[in-house]
Amino acid sequence: MRFTIYGKNMHVSEGLKETLKKKLGKFDRYFGQETEVYATFSKEKNYQMLEVTIPVGKTILRAEERSEDMVTSIEDVVNKLEGQLRKHKTKLQKRNQDETAKFNLEGIEAIEDDVFQPKVVRTKKFAVKPMNVDEATLQMELLGHDFFVFLNGDTDDVNVVYMRKDGNYGLIEPTF
């Protein structure tokens, strides 16, 4: 695997880089030499954060963790990635695809069939009225939701406003 490691609001020491490479080294048996691993270390207030993204074909494995200690964040990210690999292997096995040459899935145990598989259980329709972003955030807060879909009166596009983990808002605008 080839590593691309960034530091955001902090300097990434060689020790942290080596720790990350060592912990993610156990994934070498699943990925080829050409697989890129993008890691971003960052610091926000009292938290140490790590984001790891591994694009593999049409699939993107991504994990993000935040804790008070960077080594804890690294271990938590590795655990999340392991779970995603297990889930991906199970999906591939269910589809009976022989195109799994991108992965060597020998060392990963499959998830049992009795594990909950999410599905769409409810469809909700509602009338959208044009409003600006500020009105949409206010509406979202009044409803107590984490996101709100609305028709942006300025652009005449359907947008989504959402609450970010840091307490700020995010806006999703589609492009066609």
Side-chain angles (χ1 to χ4, degrees):
M1 294 188 297
R2 294 186 305 215
F3 290 87
T4 305
I5 300 174
Y6 302 103
K8 186 176 173 184
N9 299 330
M10 68 178 286
H11 170 72
V12 181
S13 68
E14 287 301 317
L16 271 179
K17 288 179 185 179
E18 290 305 314
T19 302
L20 178 68
K21 288 178 182 180
K22 180 181 175 190
K23 295 281 186 179
L24 290 177
K26 66 181 178 180
F27 296 134
D28 281 340
R29 61 184 179 206
Y30 309 126
F31 302 113
Q33 295 274 337
E34 69 285 345
T35 303
E36 287 285 339
V37 176
Y38 301 97
T40 304
F41 289 93
S42 60
K43 189 173 185 177
E44 290 181 6
K45 298 181 183 176
N46 297 334
Y47 294 107
Q48 309 283 327
M49 215 163 100
L50 173 62
E51 298 174 31
V52 175
T53 305
I54 306 173
V56 182
K58 294 179 181 178
T59 303
I60 296 177
L61 301 175
R62 183 178 183 284
E64 175 182 325
E65 272 303 319
R66 133 188 356 195
S67 67
E68 293 180 5
D69 178 35
M70 191 56 81
V71 176
T72 305
S73 293
I74 291 171
E75 291 171 357
D76 291 345
V77 162
V78 169
N79 290 338
K80 275 189 176 181
L81 289 171
E82 276 182 315
Q84 289 177 16
L85 273 173
R86 255 188 248 107
K87 187 175 181 180
H88 187 69
K89 177 185 179 182
T90 304
K91 281 185 178 181
L92 288 176
Q93 286 177 337
K94 284 185 178 181
R95 290 184 196 153
N96 286 330
Q97 290 181 342
D98 292 326
E99 299 176 26
T100 59
K102 295 175 185 157
F103 288 118
N104 177 7
L105 301 172
E106 292 302 314
I108 305 174
E109 68 270 7
I111 295 176
E112 303 302 320
D113 283 340
D114 61 345
V115 173
F116 174 73
Q117 294 292 326
K119 60 184 175 223
V120 177
V121 294
R122 182 175 177 211
T123 301
K124 191 173 186 179
K125 295 181 180 184
F126 62 97
V128 292
K129 65 175 189 170
M131 61 179 72
N132 64 30
V133 177
D134 292 332
E135 289 174 299
T137 56
L138 179 64
Q139 194 71 18
M140 178 182 66
E141 288 176 354
L142 289 172
L143 293 171
H145 292 167
D146 295 332
F147 68 94
F148 186 74
V149 179
F150 68 101
L151 181 64
N152 192 328
D154 300 330
T155 62
D156 288 330
D157 287 331
V158 174
N159 291 172
V160 177
V161 67
Y162 63 95
M163 178 67 74
R164 293 172 45 90
K165 289 180 183 177
D166 63 4
N168 292 314
Y169 299 111
L171 178 67
I172 300 174
E173 297 178 312
T175 57
F176 301 101

